[in-house]
Amino acid sequence: MREKTSNLIFDSIKNFILVFLLIITLYPFVNLMAISLNDAQDTAKGGITIFPRVFSLASYTTLFKLPELLTGFINSVLRTVIGAVTQVFSCSMIAYVLSRKSFPLRRPLSLLWIFTMYVSGGLIPYYFLMRSLGLLNNFNIYWIPGITSAFAIIVIRTYISGLPESLIEAAKVEGAGEFRIFMQIVLPLAIPVLATMALFAAVDHWNAWVDTWLFNPKKKELTTLQYELMKKLASSNSSKSGKLGAEARRGSGSGGTTPKSIRAAMTMIAAVPIMLVYPFLQRYFVTGLTLGGVKE
Amino acid sequence: MGKNRKTTLLSELGRNKTLLLMISPFVIHLIIFCYVPIWGWVMAFQDYNPIAGITGSPWVGLKHFKALFAEPLFIKVIRNTLAISTIKLVLGTTTSLFLAILLNETRHKYFKSVTQTITSLPHFISWVVTANLVREMLSTDGGMVNDFLMFIHIIDKPVLWLGVQKYFWWIMGWSSVWKEVGWGAIIYLAAMTGIDDQLYEAAKIDGASRIQRIIHVTIPGIKSTFLILLIMNIGYLLSAGYEQMFLLKSGLTQDVAQVFELFAIEWGLNKLRYSFATASGIFASVVSITLITVTNKLSHKLGETALF
């Protein structure tokens, strides 16, 4: 009996904490969603919590008219797709070679990659390297440096090493070359891990903004969505009178918007793609985490 | 003998020509993008001039390292980085562990998986978005935190949380807990599912309460996972996650927000003191490697799991 009551108390406290955590996690998103869908002047009065009070799409329609936002969106999608596909393909090829026991350079080359997980040259030498390679103010900087990733290689190699060796041996007897074995046998079998790694790469690419900021700030046509959002954040932070704010006060554009409503709408645009796919793909992410041991 | 080994290596490579061909382009890529920048460290021992390049710039020995440690700002950078990442490490580890224990005690499958999914979502949201959420929540104009604290009469008027230096490190710590607690819990939870159920049963028969079972069965069961994660994270103590600091700092908090990477960006790319900024990067790298080696050794000595 005593056991039962103490269990009940324990469970109540535990569930209370978990529900509290859920609310804290979700509320900021819901609140910003409500602000982005609410009339900006009305929002300024305060009190918006989880539902819009005066529904308005003005913030979104204003945003979609900004040319830099559309460019940023296209570039973000492009780098996400190109970056994820090239990284996963290259890393699986490397992983396959490094998993072949007959390959004599297997250990030294693996170490060469693992070393880069702990030591990097740092920003300045990297910057000058990009400059001499002609990658500054160039779209290719978004995907070329990320072609090989030590983390992805290790995870995929672990997975490939677990595939039955007999399949590869059988294909060899049939006379298939290493490249054909990789393309036609190993790649299809490794799809679960490849999907996981592609997701990780895609998320990283979608969320990246530092490379635009440091390496591509001068070319408007190379902007990315997260970088545009960062700029809005920075400008509203330093001065209350950004270009959009001034427009809103003059009442131009499509109805009232404020820097706050614009930021809210933009945050939604930057976050929603991930929030939409995440619940369905969550188990793949978790697989990646457990396969790779530990990432960060 | 040596010659013999060389010929075997060459003939083995010859037999694996296709494999060699498949990997060579990527080895070249690796050398260019990861090892050439490390070679670029020599810049720190020169007065680097981009026009003359590494071969044409004059050598100055340890001049920039001496200047670095004479620079009061740099000492602040070390302090800020260590403080923020220690706060993040301690808060992050304890909250993730705590959440994992709570989830592990939850029998309701659906509630457990929904909680796990939702709490790990912010891990995949960019820092740009997260920073905006944090700013909104802490804003003086209708932010949740101020409204709530005013509602329960802890404060009378809104506080500009992000403008106060003494709160800054803690805001960094807690906002990163918000982002990472669920994701961090997954790995501990995975370790907890590996604990033998018989241990819990035995403890139950011995009359252990639920909390006693957590303390004596669950926590010892994940000790090695905990230690490995700790060692890895200690190696990263000098990278406190600069995106977050950059996006949440303001003129008011500049002094407590400057960390290594931001220091290198500011001095290297804005003030054009390339060699000086490179020296700060080398310092961070060397300290990281030392930290990870020492903690790993220590863990070995104590007879615990080690990373390598």
Side-chain angles (χ1 to χ4, degrees):
Chain A
M1 197 58 216
R2 218 176 57 93
E3 172 78 13
K4 247 186 189 159
T5 24
S6 74
N7 252 341
L8 200 69
I9 297 171
F10 182 95
D11 278 324
S12 316
I13 297 175
K14 184 203 75 190
N15 290 340
F16 175 78
I17 297 174
L18 289 179
V19 170
F20 177 72
L21 184 66
L22 287 182
I23 293 172
I24 287 192
T25 309
L26 287 176
Y27 182 78
F29 291 108
V30 178
N31 179 238
L32 226 61
M33 173 83 88
I35 290 175
S36 76
L37 291 169
N38 197 55
D39 180 74
Q41 257 75 43
D42 181 64
T43 305
K45 287 180 209 147
I48 299 294
T49 50
I50 58 174
F51 292 112
R53 199 161 43 204
V54 182
F55 186 81
S56 156
L57 285 173
S59 311
Y60 288 96
T61 46
T62 311
L63 272 182
F64 286 121
K65 279 186 200 139
L66 295 176
E68 68 265 29
L69 194 85
L70 187 68
T71 320
F73 183 80
I74 294 171
N75 282 333
S76 287
V77 171
L78 276 179
R79 72 171 293 176
T80 300
V81 174
I82 299 175
V85 170
T86 50
Q87 190 191 82
V88 167
F89 183 76
S90 329
C91 290
S92 47
M93 189 126 107
I94 300 165
Y96 172 70
V97 176
L98 295 182
S99 74
R100 305 300 305 133
K101 295 211 172 57
S102 63
F103 188 61
L105 297 176
R106 194 163 54 107
R107 263 189 69 80
L109 287 183
S110 299
L111 286 176
L112 206 60
W113 258 288
I114 291 171
F115 185 69
T116 63
M117 291 173 85
Y118 298 100
V119 183
S120 81
L123 175 74
I124 306 299
Y126 191 75
Y127 183 86
F128 282 108
L129 173 69
M130 295 302 125
R131 203 178 71 154
S132 50
L133 293 173
L135 286 173
L136 293 188
N137 296 309
N138 185 333
F139 179 83
N140 293 330
I141 202 173
Y142 290 144
W143 65 278
I144 291 184
I147 285 179
T148 70
S149 138
F151 172 67
I153 294 171
I154 291 173
V155 174
I156 301 173
R157 192 189 63 178
T158 310
Y159 191 90
I160 292 179
S161 306
L163 296 176
E165 183 69 26
S166 54
L167 277 171
I168 294 168
E169 287 308 319
K172 263 205 179 130
V173 173
E174 303 269 313
E178 294 283 3
F179 188 69
R180 249 188 77 193
I181 294 176
F182 166 67
M183 291 296 283
Q184 294 182 353
I185 295 172
V186 175
L187 268 192
L189 284 174
I191 280 175
V193 73
L194 300 188
T196 304
M197 296 331 286
L199 278 175
F200 275 112
V203 169
D204 282 349
H205 274 286
W206 180 260
N207 286 342
W209 61 277
V210 176
D211 45 10
T212 317
W213 175 50
L214 292 178
F215 305 123
N216 284 349
K218 287 188 194 118
K219 286 215 173 166
K220 276 193 184 133
E221 67 268 28
L222 294 177
T223 192
T224 48
L225 195 60
Q226 304 282 343
Y227 179 60
E228 287 302 318
L229 177 60
M230 189 285 279
K231 284 202 294 192
K232 293 269 180 302
L233 211 72
S235 72
S236 69
N237 183 28
S238 54
S239 67
K240 290 275 179 217
S241 54
K243 196 173 143 229
L244 279 162
E247 267 171 25
R249 252 168 269 127
R250 280 203 312 274
S252 69
S254 55
T257 57
T258 55
K260 184 178 174 135
S261 72
I262 289 289
R263 271 202 323 273
M266 202 145 173
T267 306
M268 282 301 125
I269 297 174
V272 156
I274 288 186
M275 293 168 69
L276 285 183
V277 297
Y278 175 70
F280 303 102
L281 302 173
Q282 193 234 9
R283 61 197 179 92
Y284 289 103
F285 284 113
V286 176
T287 319
L289 184 73
T290 37
L291 266 178
V294 185
K295 199 189 173 185
E296 289 133 343
Chain B
M1 186 68 196
K3 200 179 171 192
N4 211 339
R5 270 179 64 182
K6 222 181 201 168
T7 43
T8 28
L9 179 67
L10 277 179
S11 72
E12 269 188 64
L13 274 179
R15 259 182 281 129
N16 291 287
K17 240 184 278 154
T18 332
L19 290 177
L20 191 64
L21 216 62
M22 280 164 79
I23 205 169
S24 317
F26 301 114
V27 174
I28 294 168
H29 177 277
L30 174 74
I31 289 169
I32 293 176
F33 285 94
C34 295
Y35 286 93
V36 170
I38 296 176
W39 182 67
W41 276 8
V42 297
M43 283 167 67
F45 304 94
Q46 299 180 321
D47 269 334
Y48 183 73
N49 171 352
I51 298 162
I54 284 179
T55 43
S57 298
W59 293 90
V60 294
L62 292 176
K63 175 182 149 191
H64 295 293
F65 288 90
K66 282 176 191 149
L68 203 58
F69 289 104
E71 171 65 57
L73 251 179
F74 185 67
I75 308 302
K76 270 189 192 159
V77 166
I78 298 180
R79 180 203 65 185
N80 294 342
T81 312
L82 283 177
I84 294 173
S85 48
T86 309
I87 287 176
K88 279 166 92 165
L89 179 61
V90 173
L91 286 183
T93 309
T94 43
T95 52
S96 290
L97 197 57
F98 185 65
L99 175 60
I101 290 172
L102 292 189
L103 287 171
N104 193 47
E105 292 294 321
T106 304
R107 292 284 159 258
H108 196 292
K109 272 227 169 79
Y110 186 70
F111 180 54
K112 185 176 171 180
S113 78
V114 166
T115 312
Q116 217 183 324
T117 305
I118 290 179
T119 52
S120 51
L121 168 70
H123 173 79
F124 296 96
I125 299 291
S126 70
W127 263 115
V128 180
V129 167
T130 309
N132 199 23
L133 295 176
V134 172
R135 276 181 187 285
E136 285 302 330
M137 292 306 111
L138 295 177
S139 97
T140 48
D141 135 49
M144 175 177 81
V145 173
N146 278 318
D147 281 2
F148 180 73
L149 292 178
M150 268 153 61
F151 178 73
I152 58 172
H153 295 290
I154 286 186
I155 52 174
D156 326 310
K157 52 178 197 313
V159 176
L160 183 64
W161 298 104
L162 279 165
V164 185
Q165 293 205 348
K166 66 175 174 189
Y167 299 143
F168 190 79
W169 292 344
W170 295 100
I171 296 175
M172 296 305 105
W174 284 108
S175 56
S176 120
V177 165
W178 180 83
K179 199 172 183 297
E180 303 296 339
V181 64
W183 185 248
I186 290 178
I187 198 98
Y188 290 121
L189 199 59
M192 284 174 195
T193 33
I195 299 173
D196 194 344
D197 263 343
Q198 285 179 341
L199 288 175
Y200 286 104
E201 291 305 321
K204 213 172 175 179
I205 291 163
D206 288 344
S209 73
R210 217 154 146 195
I211 292 177
Q212 281 171 327
R213 270 176 270 155
I214 292 173
I215 294 171
H216 297 294
V217 181
T218 312
I219 292 181
I222 55 153
K223 206 167 86 186
S224 60
T225 310
F226 175 83
L227 279 173
I228 286 189
L229 285 175
L230 193 69
I231 296 169
M232 291 190 82
N233 287 324
I234 285 176
Y236 290 110
L237 266 186
L238 286 196
S239 50
Y242 65 101
E243 283 184 47
Q244 181 191 12
M245 270 58 89
F246 177 80
L247 294 164
L248 287 170
K249 76 185 163 92
S250 63
L252 295 169
T253 48
Q254 177 69 19
D255 245 22
V256 288
Q258 193 81 315
V259 291
F260 269 105
E261 290 90 339
L262 297 179
F263 181 84
I265 292 172
E266 192 187 321
W267 289 77
L269 298 184
N270 297 343
K271 297 187 178 164
L272 307 184
R273 290 187 56 185
Y274 306 120
S275 299
F276 187 67
T278 308
S280 81
I282 295 179
F283 175 75
S285 264
V286 170
V287 173
S288 294
I289 299 167
T290 317
L291 279 176
I292 202 165
T293 324
V294 169
T295 35
N296 195 57
K297 272 248 167 66
L298 216 64
S299 189
H300 250 316
K301 273 239 170 76
L302 296 172
E304 299 290 351
T305 333
L307 196 59
F308 46 82

